[in-house]
Amino acid sequence: MRTLFSDEVHVAYRQIYVCSDGIHSPEDSFAGQRAGLCGGAVPGHLFLLTGTHTGSVPITVELHETEPPLDADLWEDIVEVSFRPVSDKIELAEWDSRWYPLPLSETTYRVRYHCRGMDEARTAVGDAREPAVEEYLLRFWPSPPAPDRIVKETSQAAAYWHEYARKQPPGPTPEEQAQAERQAREEEERTALRREMDAWGGRLPSDRLRDVQGKLRGIQGYPMGLVGLDAALVHAIDAADPEEQRALARWAAHRACETAGLSEIDWVARGLAELNRGEPYSPPLDDPQRLRDAAFSDARIPHPHDGSPGLPQVAAFAALFDAAAPDPLKAALDALLAAAVTHDTDWPHLFAEVRRTFPATAIAPEAERSDRQ
């Protein structure tokens, strides 16, 4: 036998707990039991009742290798329940106060709760100088699950709590609990599915779209990204073949630079030609810092604010870099979003031009269906 705990603990509302997953209500803890005093209906939790409403009571917790002697003549009230921790963190807990670790294994135990002096404690006036009028003993030993039982009943307090327990309706069976959990998971999945479909314009994105979304879902000033502007176009571009996606990326970069007034600048024109040929960019487009220096120093680039390039020009340079991305789908989507930024509120005309120039994007692909909808 090992003594796991032996001391006074503070009780409030006549409650102490053994917890491995949090504290549960008395209704749940005694659901379906005939025995009061020790509620064991919630897996991994014991709800212990005392005579004292608020104050300190002595309690001892013991762990036995086998069933201990009953000792019925030493205690006024005794009940038994089964208990199995649901985590490796098991504690004796005060009501909204301190917790004391109990070194128990994650196995099934039989628990015997012994009580003495409950009636006296219900009417006594607490005095720290007087010996406690009540005492409690909690014994654990390994044992298969079994129904709760009243071993001995003497006090009026015990009779009251036994009657309370018998009034609590049984909790769900393991099968019912499993079904409820399964239904909750399915509902969470349906909710997540509906949320995702709403975010992608009423249909599910392909795995490819999920992989490349990046800036697709939002950049500065365009928090909803390309999906928020025209979800049907996004899905149509996703359905296009890689060659058409690459062509669209190049086209978007050209339109962005033209709209931003950059196409006639020699080193930008050279970059667009290199993009068309699939070649690496030459300076200053080959390095972000060199590009930044060129963008600030070249007087031919519009600088509407404090000598800095304006948003259309910044977006056009972004379209150049986006269009050269290795993944053709990402290149097309990101470059088109950057081009839309250069067009500001005129982006619907840009997207109409996309559909005319690339007929495959004018046909919305059939929405994917899901049995979970």
Side-chain angles (χ1 to χ4, degrees), residues 19-58:
C19 305
S20 63
D21 73 334
I23 294 173
H24 297 267
S25 70
E27 293 81 4
D28 291 340
S29 299
F30 289 95
Q33 288 193 188
R34 295 188 58 79
L37 301 182
C38 181
V42 177
H45 182 259
L46 295 177
F47 194 111
L48 309 176
L49 290 162
T50 66
T52 293
H53 180 280
T54 305
S56 296
V57 301

Side-chain angles (χ1 to χ4, degrees), residues 10-17 50 52-55 94-96:
H10 180 76
V11 300
Y13 300 97
R14 300 189 173 91
Q15 298 173 21
I16 321 171
Y17 321 96
T50 66
T52 293
H53 180 280
T54 305
E94 300 176 348
W95 192 91
D96 196 27

Side-chain angles (χ1 to χ4, degrees), residues 271-291:
L272 289 169
E274 291 165 345
L275 176 66
N276 290 341
R277 296 192 298 267
E279 298 174 354
Y281 289 133
S282 57
L285 292 173
D286 63 331
D287 179 77
Q289 185 60 48
R290 274 197 289 268
L291 171 59

Side-chain angles (χ1 to χ4, degrees), residues 99-110:
W99 303 65
Y100 307 93
L102 296 177
L104 295 168
S105 302
E106 291 185 63
T107 189
T108 303
Y109 295 96
R110 192 64 173 170

Side-chain angles (χ1 to χ4, degrees), residues 14 50-53 57 76-77 115-126 131-136 154-158:
R14 300 189 173 91
T50 66
T52 293
H53 180 280
V57 301
E76 295 176 352
D77 298 288
C115 310
R116 181 166 53 223
M118 293 188 72
D119 285 345
E120 292 85 346
R122 285 166 66 93
T123 58
V125 177
V133 298
E134 62 188 316
E135 187 176 0
Y136 301 92
T154 302
S155 67
Q156 294 180 2

Side-chain angles (χ1 to χ4, degrees), residues 136-156:
Y136 301 92
L137 171 65
L138 193 63
R139 283 174 165 166
F140 292 81
W141 69 94
S143 178
D148 66 287
R149 73 178 184 122
I150 301 171
V151 178
K152 183 179 180 181
E153 178 185 334
T154 302
S155 67
Q156 294 180 2

